[in-house]
């Protein structure tokens, strides 16, 4: 008695859910619909390329291995970031932006950092204790420009794509905030800080590049910069929520105190001192051998 | 029993309704609300005469732009061209090119050919910038046919590909000999090449990039001597539908990805696979060759590797067709 009743109620449910499932599937955004490389859904924003799961996995693995071998391929590191950020991590970062009032303003305004939106000569003319001056000085010291960041292409949600783009463009500001230089040792330390602070997998995977560091550099990372990165990254406020365009004229140390970040020891100075000490030791040894 | 199923049904319908409501407003993100308020849909201004359009991969663009865009693609892939070809075709492109040249058998043995003929063949290799086909032709003529007079002119519209070809020529014995020359030319207007002067016109993996293939075929007809051979090696349609399914997925999935990893340029390789897809089929292209005035031997084409590539041939008739 009960089974025929259950049967008759079950069948319309199944039928309606299957036809609804078919029409539902057509309306889902790219990240949730099943598609093949032959019929990609239309892009959600300009430059967007929807990837299948297999493609995304292959891009993640390929770019991880290739950029480990050749860290100069910034475009591959960027692609690795985009391939591994979905579905959870970039959404989580965007939600943390939504929780903060400044973060919400950034998401509403969607400012972009390029050499046209930020006038570098003007930043150089600011007082030397400001964020803008520190940023321009850091750009000059390292010889880089804000235009070298690739556009985000593989993240499906347009807002999350903007969050990724914002993270990428603000990376140089984090360098200036932390005072870490642009070569491998500094980048690894900053990536460890970013992993602790933002949680993006690419930043964590980039710390594996520390395996390629020289012994002394690895020792410094293990003793000084690694602990600094973890401590500050976890305890400080989200750096993604800093509205840099408004902070250009504020005091750097004031900003650091507000965020809860301590400045790590100057890496360039340490390396310079170490190089000089080694040079002096070598000269002493040579003069010692000459004399004896 | 019916009470719980009714409750389940009601709950299912309630959530379905909520999902429907959510689906009606897809843009719920915070920043899109501000942008939607700002956006005003202005109608596009009324166009003047619509310019003639052609295809660039799957895009439709103005004809005048295609040359420039293709130029940009090949300038960017020039230096890693061979690596990319190897990765895309798993090295098979070398076999195809070897077979193409062997099959054409360039060069005539001076001992066996009649003494009245001009010494050596005059070969024109179009879109042959990096010299792959030209070097193979010269080697075949020299070593197999003992012909030291056959000469090849490599013509390409892209100076970066020609520069790459000149660089590679330095490693061959033909670099500074009169047997090999590199010229920058547009296959649709071969202004520097006189009519009825070429014995063999080859184009390998180039013709699919031309804006106007018919114009190129007509130019080929003009410059060839009567009895001269037009030979084209190009990607084509795969015969077997199962193999085609695999091949298409490899093309559209793996090749742009490899382009990104190796060359840092996904878009150029996306263009390349789209242009392969857009190229006419074997029968269509054979008909285009016939329309240009060529006589087509046999079926007109030969499939390689199941139709991934095909060699099309045409012969310029000796007497004018009536």
């Amino acid at each position: 008695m009960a089974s025929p009743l259950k049967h008759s109620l079950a069948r319309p449910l199944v039928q309606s859910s299957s036809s609804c499932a078919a029409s539902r599937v057509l309306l889902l955004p790219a990240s949730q619909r099943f598609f093949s490389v032959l019929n990609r859904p239309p892009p959600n924003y300009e430059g967007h390329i929807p990837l299948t799961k297999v493609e995304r996995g292959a891009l993640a693995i390929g770019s991880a291995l290739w950029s480990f071998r050749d860290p100069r391929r910034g475009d591959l590191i960027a692609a690795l970031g985009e391939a591994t950020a979905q579905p959870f991590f970039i959404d989580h970062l965007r939600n943390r932006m939504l929780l903060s009032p400044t973060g919400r303003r950034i998401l509403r305004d969607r400012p972009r950092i390029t050499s046209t939106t930020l006038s570098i000569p003007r930043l150089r003319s600011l007082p030397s204790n400001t964020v803008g001056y520190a940023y321009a000085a850091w750009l000059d010291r390292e010889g880089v420009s804000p235009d070298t960041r690739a556009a985000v292409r593989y993240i499906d949600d347009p807002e999350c794509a903007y969050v990724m783009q914002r993270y990428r463009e603000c990376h140089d500001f984090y360098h200036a905030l932390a005072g870490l230089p642009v070569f491998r040792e500094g980048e690894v330390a900053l990536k460890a800080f970013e992993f602790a602070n933002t949680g993006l997998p690419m930043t964590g995977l980039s710390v594996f590049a520390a395996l390629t560091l020289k012994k002394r550099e690895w020792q410094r990372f293990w003793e000084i910069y690694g602990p600094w990165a973890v401590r500050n990254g976890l305890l400080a406020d989200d750096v993604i929520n800093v509205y840099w365009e408004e902070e250009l004229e504020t005091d750097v140390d004031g900003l650091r105190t507000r965020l809860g970040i301590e400045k790590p020891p100057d890496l360039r100075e340490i390396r310079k001192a170490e190089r000089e000490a080694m040079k002096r030791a070598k000269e002493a040894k040579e003069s010692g051998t000459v004399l004896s | 029993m019916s009470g719980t199923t009714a409750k389940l049904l009601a709950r299912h319908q309630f959530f379905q309704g909520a999902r429907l409501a959510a689906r009606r407003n897809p843009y719920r993100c915070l920043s899109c609300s501000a942008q939607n308020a700002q956006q005003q849909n202005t109608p596009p201004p009324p166009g003047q005469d619509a310019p003639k359009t052609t295809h660039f991969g799957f895009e439709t663009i103005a004809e005048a732009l295609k040359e420039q865009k293709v130029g940009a693609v090949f300038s960017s892939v020039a230096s890693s061209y061979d690596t990319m070809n190897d990765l895309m075709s798993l090295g098979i492109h070398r076999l195809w090119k070897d077979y193409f040249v062997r099959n054409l058998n360039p060069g005539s043995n001076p001992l066996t050919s009649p003494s009245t003929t001009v010494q050596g063949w005059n070969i024109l290799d179009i879109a042959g910038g990096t010299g792959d086909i030209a070097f193979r032709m010269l080697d075949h003529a020299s070593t197999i046919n003992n012909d030291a007079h056959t000469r090849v002119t490599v013509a390409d519209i892209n100076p970066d590909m020609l520069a790459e070809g000149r660089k590679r020529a330095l490693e061959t014995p033909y670099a500074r000999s009169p047997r090999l020359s590199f010229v920058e030319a547009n296959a649709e207007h071969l202004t520097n090449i006189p009519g009825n002067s070429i014995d063999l016109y080859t184009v390998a993996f180039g013709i699919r990039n031309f804006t106007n293939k018919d114009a190129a075929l007509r130019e080929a007809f003009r410059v060839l001597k009567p009895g001269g051979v037009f030979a084209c090696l190009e990607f084509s349609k795969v015969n077997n539908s199962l193999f085609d399914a695999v091949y298409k997925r490899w093309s559209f999935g793996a090749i742009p990805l490899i382009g990104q990893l190796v060359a840092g340029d996904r878009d150029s390789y996306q263009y390349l696979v789209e242009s392969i897809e857009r190229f006419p089929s074997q029968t269509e292209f054979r008909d285009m060759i016939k329309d240009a005035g060529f006589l087509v031997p046999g079926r007109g084409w030969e499939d390689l590797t199941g139709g991934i590539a095909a060699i099309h041939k045409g012969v310029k008739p000796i007497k004018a067709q009536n």
Side-chain angles (χ1 to χ4, degrees):
Chain A
M1 208 48 149
S3 32
L5 185 64
K6 206 161 73 170
H7 220 267
S8 62
L9 272 177
R11 225 187 287 127
L13 258 178
V14 166
Q15 267 177 3
S16 66
S17 68
S18 68
S19 65
C20 277
S23 53
R24 207 182 311 164
V25 155
L26 292 170
L27 293 168
L28 284 174
S31 56
Q32 291 168 44
R33 202 193 319 174
F34 297 115
F35 57 90
S36 79
V37 298
L38 298 178
N39 62 335
R40 291 185 206 273
N44 293 337
Y45 53 88
E46 201 188 315
H48 177 219
I49 297 174
L51 294 179
T52 60
K53 285 195 177 52
V54 173
E55 276 186 305
R56 195 172 309 138
L59 181 63
I61 295 172
S63 55
L65 293 174
W66 203 282
S67 58
F68 185 73
R69 268 190 51 215
D70 184 7
R72 291 155 177 268
R73 291 286 303 274
D75 62 308
L76 285 184
I77 299 176
L80 174 64
E82 293 173 41
T84 50
Q86 281 181 286
F88 167 72
F89 297 98
I90 193 73
D91 287 8
H92 189 63
L93 189 62
R94 191 264 314 266
N95 294 343
R96 284 218 303 282
M97 282 184 86
L98 287 174
L99 285 172
S100 130
T102 332
R104 286 196 288 272
R105 272 194 306 122
I106 296 174
L107 282 179
R108 191 179 284 280
D109 300 340
R110 292 205 185 179
R112 296 292 301 267
I113 299 177
T114 60
S115 54
T116 42
T117 57
L118 277 183
S119 156
I120 310 291
R122 185 185 81 88
L123 296 182
R124 283 194 201 111
S125 65
L126 291 172
S128 59
N129 64 331
T130 53
V131 172
Y133 181 83
Y135 175 64
W138 184 87
L139 285 179
D140 292 333
R141 196 182 186 197
E142 307 295 335
V144 292
S145 125
D147 290 328
T148 50
R149 302 294 161 190
V152 169
R153 302 184 78 177
Y154 303 116
I155 292 187
D156 295 327
D157 183 44
E159 197 174 46
C160 292
Y162 173 72
V163 171
M164 192 54 148
Q165 188 77 46
R166 177 79 181 166
Y167 155 74
R168 210 175 273 174
E169 288 172 357
C170 295
H171 179 76
D172 291 339
F173 275 105
Y174 308 154
H175 267 290
L177 194 64
L180 286 169
V182 80
F183 42 76
R184 201 178 295 200
E185 204 186 334
E187 284 288 356
V188 165
L190 188 64
K191 281 282 187 283
F193 169 78
E194 285 176 349
F195 183 51
N197 197 272
T198 64
L200 290 173
M202 175 265 290
T203 51
L205 290 170
S206 301
V207 178
F208 280 104
L211 294 171
T212 57
L213 290 175
K214 302 196 187 75
K215 194 153 171 284
R216 298 196 73 90
E217 296 174 341
W218 169 247
Q219 217 176 354
R220 265 200 298 273
F221 179 74
W222 190 247
E223 288 171 9
I224 310 174
Y225 293 99
W228 166 84
V230 171
R231 206 170 49 237
N232 285 275
L234 290 176
L235 296 176
D237 287 345
D238 287 313
V239 286
I240 191 84
N241 287 331
V242 177
Y243 205 140
W244 294 102
E245 288 83 348
E246 294 173 357
E247 301 281 356
L248 290 172
E249 294 178 23
T250 60
D251 182 39
V252 180
D253 289 319
L255 181 62
R256 284 198 193 111
T257 319
R258 247 191 296 140
L259 291 173
I261 298 174
E262 39 187 58
K263 189 165 195 278
D266 190 329
L267 186 53
R268 276 194 189 266
E269 297 296 320
I270 292 179
R271 285 166 66 110
K272 198 163 88 170
E274 193 181 86
R275 265 199 305 271
E276 280 174 5
M278 280 173 68
K279 201 165 78 174
R280 263 180 276 125
K282 197 168 122 185
E283 278 170 7
K285 200 167 80 168
E286 275 173 6
S287 61
T289 53
V290 164
L291 280 177
S292 63
Chain B
M1 201 58 175
S2 61
T4 48
T5 43
K7 230 195 308 187
L8 273 170
L9 183 60
R11 200 185 299 169
H12 176 83
Q13 282 173 346
F14 173 77
F15 281 122
Q16 245 192 341
R19 275 195 285 262
L20 271 166
R23 265 209 315 282
R24 254 180 252 122
N25 305 320
Y27 285 111
R28 296 297 300 276
C29 64
L30 177 69
S31 38
C32 291
S33 58
Q35 289 180 341
N36 283 337
Q38 283 168 13
Q39 254 168 23
Q40 282 150 11
N41 290 326
T42 54
Q48 305 101 344
D49 313 312
K52 269 175 40 187
T53 57
T54 179
H55 57 84
F56 179 73
F58 289 161
E59 276 179 62
T60 305
I61 57 168
E63 246 181 33
L65 283 181
K66 173 157 179 172
E67 209 173 275
Q68 191 187 14
K69 289 187 86 154
V70 171
V73 166
F74 280 93
S75 289
S76 91
V77 306
S79 52
S80 57
Y81 190 65
D82 266 354
T83 317
M84 274 309 306
N85 279 341
D86 280 330
L87 286 170
M88 283 188 344
S89 64
L90 305 175
I92 300 175
H93 73 107
R94 295 166 197 267
L95 298 175
W96 291 334
K97 288 172 182 162
D98 288 342
Y99 177 73
F100 180 60
V101 170
R102 206 166 56 233
N103 189 269
L104 286 169
N105 199 10
S108 42
N109 195 319
L111 293 176
T112 54
S113 60
S115 52
T116 50
T117 54
V118 172
Q119 287 198 315
W121 290 25
N122 188 1
I123 300 176
L124 177 63
D125 182 29
I126 291 285
T130 50
D132 277 350
I133 296 291
F135 303 148
R136 282 175 167 86
M137 297 265 193
L138 287 167
D139 286 339
H140 185 101
S142 310
T143 52
I144 310 258
N145 288 323
N146 296 314
D147 181 344
H149 298 281
T150 293
R151 60 190 193 286
V152 179
T153 307
V154 176
D156 199 303
I157 199 174
N158 188 304
D160 294 311
M161 294 292 272
L162 282 173
E164 192 64 33
R166 284 190 181 100
K167 213 163 63 175
R168 290 184 200 185
L170 294 174
E171 289 163 29
T172 67
Y174 315 109
R176 285 183 192 84
S177 75
R179 294 182 69 184
L180 180 63
S181 58
F182 290 87
V183 297
E184 196 176 318
N186 184 334
E188 296 166 18
H189 317 281
L190 291 170
T191 45
N192 292 338
I193 300 174
N196 295 318
S197 60
I198 304 286
D199 290 300
L200 174 62
Y201 177 114
T202 58
V203 52
F205 302 118
I207 200 163
R208 74 176 187 279
N209 300 304
F210 294 176
T211 312
N212 190 336
K213 294 183 266 290
D214 292 304
L217 290 172
R218 283 195 294 273
E219 275 295 277
F221 191 82
R222 181 185 70 83
V223 301
L224 276 169
K225 289 180 191 164
V229 174
F230 166 87
C232 168
L233 172 63
E234 190 53 84
F235 288 109
S236 204
K237 304 291 179 223
V238 173
N239 306 324
N240 181 315
S241 53
L242 180 64
F243 184 41
D244 193 32
V246 174
Y247 172 63
K248 283 230 175 62
R249 276 162 181 78
W250 165 260
S251 292
F252 284 91
I255 288 177
L257 184 68
I258 294 173
Q260 165 131 35
L261 292 178
V262 172
D265 188 359
R266 190 190 176 91
D267 294 332
S268 293
Y269 291 97
Q270 184 72 28
Y271 161 72
L272 286 175
V273 297
E274 287 177 1
S275 67
I276 292 172
E277 182 65 21
R278 286 296 215 119
F279 191 69
S281 68
Q282 282 91 324
T283 45
E284 285 167 9
F285 192 53
R286 183 211 47 208
D287 292 339
M288 287 167 71
I289 293 173
K290 267 192 181 155
D291 288 340
F294 290 102
L295 291 172
V296 158
R299 209 168 50 147
W301 78 87
E302 190 180 343
D303 280 331
L304 302 175
T305 319
I308 297 181
I311 301 177
H312 285 262
K313 288 199 192 134
V315 181
K316 180 165 174 177
I318 293 191
K319 272 207 280 266
Q321 299 266 347
N322 28 334

